[in-house]
């Protein structure tokens, strides 16, 4: 596809209904309940006897996480104090339900890629991080990437590296149990392709020979519970995943006194346990243009030390206008799509060689059962920090394929040292910098 704007007329369009309309974010919709109608709780425990004591008290333990230190428990509403009174229980928090908020873009692009277009040529994101050059050194062979999300399209021709047998679904109120780890929406399939599409037909991921494991935590209609999201991360560590990607985060910058802060300790316990077991965790920074470095603000689940938190960059290597930022949270940046302003994204301002909308989003795999907005069945462009995080997950797969013995902290270190655009880990927009796959791999032997 030509990237020359001279033969296009880009219609004036409304890009966003709100900041949460990029890629997909999570909207907190209320307190979590199990399919039985019982309330769901996150329970911190101090020893292995807690589960038996909780069950003897009449509660049900759905998941045991973080090597036994966190339990997802269901029981009557209003039983927080009763649970706290059980021996070996140190803290109790009501779980919450979160739903994906899909993009709401009203656009009418005047042209689409031709029938014979080479889709790799549309993957500007892979050019920026020098993925093709990195593939001369490593392709991810032998590494395992878990996608904790809506599942993955198990029939996509560019996702033939999915391990369906290891795939799992952890969904409290599952309305599509028959699909197992298949995609209940679109988000997980898009993230999976960014990380590790094989390039068999249309697009290539950062680690095209890595193994993908789909871990579905969302029903087709409704929300995921934090308990199930945490179970997905815990399961990724249990099966020895080299990296677990979650492109999920509650929108808005939370303040230290917020109710959601009560969940933070359990998130940290589960994530730190996964990291101890060798699984690197990559997470999206959030799409609220939010400042995470002032006043103790945070987002969940990514604002814990165990996560590599990733901001989103544009085709011009600028911070995408929607991306959260802040030295306290951002570890590295990666291509997520769109430009630093809405007018430049729409082509109303900018440079002559800017990529036109919607092609300045990130192209990746799309469920074959859904329509493509650019009339490319099985592929579509969307943008967000959701798209930035799996770029880094794929890079972790490349690193681990070169040296499987590196621990999670060593992997994060080499990714940060290989990043570009900033001097050291100090940039409030990009952390250590925008990732560079070729440079990162050149540093693995020195780690």
């Amino acid at each position: 596809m030509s990237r020359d704007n001279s033969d296009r007329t880009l219609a004036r369009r409304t890009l966003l209904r709100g900041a949460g309309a990029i890629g997909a974010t999570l909207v907190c919709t209320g307190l979590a309940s199990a399919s039985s109608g019982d309330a769901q709780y996150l329970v911190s425990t101090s020893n292995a006897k807690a589960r038996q004591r909780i069950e003897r008290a009449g509660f049900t333990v759905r998941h045991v996480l973080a090597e036994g230190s966190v339990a997802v428990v269901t029981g009557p509403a209003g039983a927080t104090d009763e649970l706290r009174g059980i021996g070996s229980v140190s803290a109790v928090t009501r779980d919450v339900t979160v739903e994906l908020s899909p993009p709401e873009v009203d656009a009418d692009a005047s042209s689409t890629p031709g029938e014979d277009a080479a889709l790799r040529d549309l993957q500007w994101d892979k050019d920026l991080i020098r993925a093709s050059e990195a593939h001369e050194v490593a392709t991810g062979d032998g590494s395992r990437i878990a996608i904790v999300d809506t599942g993955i399209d198990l029939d996509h021709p560019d996702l033939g590296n999915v391990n369906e047998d290891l795939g799992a679904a952890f969904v409290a109120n599952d309305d599509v149990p028959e699909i197992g780890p298949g995609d209940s929406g679109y988000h997980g399939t898009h993230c999976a392709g960014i990380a590790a599409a094989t390039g068999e037909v249309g697009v290539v991921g950062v680690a095209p020979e890595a193994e993908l494991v789909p871990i579905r935590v969302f029903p087709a209609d409704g929300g995921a519970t934090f308990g199930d999201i945490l179970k997905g991360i815990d399961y990724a560590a249990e099966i020895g995943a080299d990296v677990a990607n979650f492109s999920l985060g509650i929108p808005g910058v939370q303040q230290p006194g917020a109710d959601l802060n009560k969940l933070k300790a359990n998130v940290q316990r589960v994530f730190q346990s996964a990291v101890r077991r060798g699984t690197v965790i990559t997470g999206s920074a959030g799409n609220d243009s939010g400042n995470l470095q002032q006043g103790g603000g945070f987002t969940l689940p990514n604002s814990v030390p165990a996560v590599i938190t990733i901001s989103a960059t544009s085709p011009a290597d600028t911070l995408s206008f929607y991306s959260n930022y802040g030295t306290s949270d951002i570890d590295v940046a990666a291509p997520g799509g769109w430009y630093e302003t809405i007018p430049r994204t729409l082509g109303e301002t900018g440079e002559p060689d800017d990529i036109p909308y919607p092609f300045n989003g990130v192209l990746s795999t799309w469920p074959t059962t859904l329509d493509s907005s650019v009339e490319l069945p099985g592929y579509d462009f969307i943008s967000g920090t959701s798209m930035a995080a799996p770029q880094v997950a794929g890079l972790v797969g490349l690193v681990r394929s070169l040296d499987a013995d590196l621990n999670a902290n060593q992997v994060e270190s080499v990714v940060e040292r290989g990043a570009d655009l900033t001097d050291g880990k100090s940039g409030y927009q990009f952390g250590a910098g925008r990732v560079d796959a070729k440079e990162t791999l050149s540093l693995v032997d020195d780690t």
Side-chain angles (χ1 to χ4, degrees):
M1 184 198 78
S2 170
R3 289 172 177 171
D4 185 350
N5 288 341
S6 62
D7 61 350
R8 306 179 181 281
T9 301
L10 294 179
R12 181 71 171 96
R13 52 185 70 87
T14 301
L15 181 63
L16 296 177
R17 307 291 186 202
I22 307 144
T25 57
L26 293 179
V27 177
C28 196
T29 56
L31 298 175
S33 299
S35 56
S36 62
D38 284 346
Q40 185 157 295
Y41 303 87
L42 295 179
V43 178
S44 299
T45 62
S46 58
N47 60 51
K49 296 180 179 179
R51 177 172 187 167
Q52 294 178 338
R53 291 170 176 170
I54 291 168
E55 290 176 335
R56 281 202 300 267
F59 295 90
T60 298
V61 177
R62 287 192 62 225
H63 306 309
V64 177
L65 315 174
E67 302 160 288
S69 65
V70 176
V72 179
V73 175
T74 60
T80 300
D81 289 342
E82 183 179 351
L83 278 166
R84 284 193 186 117
I86 296 173
S88 304
V89 169
S90 55
V92 179
T93 306
R94 271 300 302 267
D95 197 0
V96 298
T97 300
V98 289
E99 292 188 8
L100 285 169
S101 177
E104 298 178 24
V105 179
D106 180 10
D108 183 20
S110 59
S111 62
T112 58
E115 184 175 332
D116 297 326
L119 299 188
R120 175 61 184 85
D121 290 344
L122 301 179
Q123 293 184 274
W124 58 266
D125 53 309
K126 300 304 185 285
D127 295 334
L128 278 182
I129 68 171
R130 300 200 289 175
S132 294
E133 293 92 327
H135 293 163
E136 297 174 5
V137 180
T139 55
D141 184 33
S143 65
R144 176 174 290 169
I145 300 173
I147 305 293
V148 182
D149 212 295
T150 62
I152 298 177
D153 181 354
L154 303 177
D155 298 317
H156 198 288
D158 278 336
L159 298 174
N161 51 346
V162 169
N163 187 330
E164 185 176 353
D165 292 337
L166 278 182
F170 304 109
V171 186
N173 299 299
D174 198 355
D175 53 0
V176 283
E178 66 278 5
I179 72 171
D183 204 332
S184 60
Y186 65 90
H187 196 256
T189 295
H190 201 269
C191 291
I194 292 169
T198 63
E200 183 70 22
V201 175
V203 296
V204 65
V206 181
E209 292 192 344
E211 178 186 77
L212 284 165
V213 178
I215 302 175
R216 181 169 65 88
V217 294
F218 281 90
D221 183 21
T225 69
F226 253 81
D228 288 337
I229 293 171
L230 296 181
K231 174 59 180 177
I233 296 290
D234 194 79
Y235 176 72
E238 181 183 323
I239 62 172
D242 290 288
V243 58
N245 184 81
F246 70 97
S247 288
L248 310 168
I250 290 177
V253 177
Q254 307 297 318
Q255 298 307 308
D259 286 343
L260 288 174
N261 195 43
K262 298 174 183 177
L263 297 172
K264 196 171 181 181
N266 284 319
V267 171
Q268 185 158 330
R269 278 191 179 198
V270 173
F271 285 10
Q272 287 178 332
S273 169
V275 168
R276 281 196 302 272
R277 286 178 278 170
T279 298
V280 179
I281 304 174
T282 51
S284 52
N287 301 327
D288 300 288
S289 308
N291 185 340
L292 300 175
Q293 68 185 93
Q294 294 179 349
F298 67 94
T299 60
L300 283 177
N302 60 283
S303 283
V304 295
V307 180
I308 301 177
T309 300
I310 300 128
S311 60
T313 59
S314 77
D317 264 339
T318 54
L319 186 73
S320 301
F321 68 86
Y322 50 81
S323 181
N324 288 347
Y325 56 91
T327 54
S328 59
D329 266 41
I330 306 303
D331 295 301
V332 291
W338 296 350
Y339 286 97
E340 71 275 7
T341 67
I342 292 176
R344 187 173 184 182
T345 298
L346 295 173
E348 296 168 352
T349 63
E351 302 298 326
D353 60 350
D354 278 358
I355 301 173
Y357 178 86
F359 309 112
N360 49 30
V362 176
L363 177 66
S364 186
T365 45
W366 193 252
T368 52
T369 56
L370 299 181
D371 290 338
S372 165
S373 68
V374 290
E375 301 177 10
L376 284 173
Y379 306 94
D380 215 336
F381 293 86
I382 56 176
S383 295
T385 57
S386 286
M387 285 60 256
Q391 310 269 13
V392 182
L395 180 53
V396 172
L398 296 183
V399 171
R400 277 278 173 81
S401 70
L402 283 185
D403 190 343
D405 294 328
L406 293 180
N407 64 38
N409 291 331
Q410 288 172 319
V411 172
E412 179 174 359
S413 174
V414 75
V415 168
E416 291 174 350
R417 287 189 290 117
D420 195 9
L421 304 182
T422 60
D423 296 325
K425 188 176 180 179
S426 59
Y428 73 96
Q429 294 182 329
F430 302 155
R434 190 259 298 131
V435 294
D436 182 322
K438 180 182 179 181
E439 179 65 17
T440 297
L441 296 189
S442 74
L443 300 173
V444 170
D445 288 342
D446 298 329
T447 300

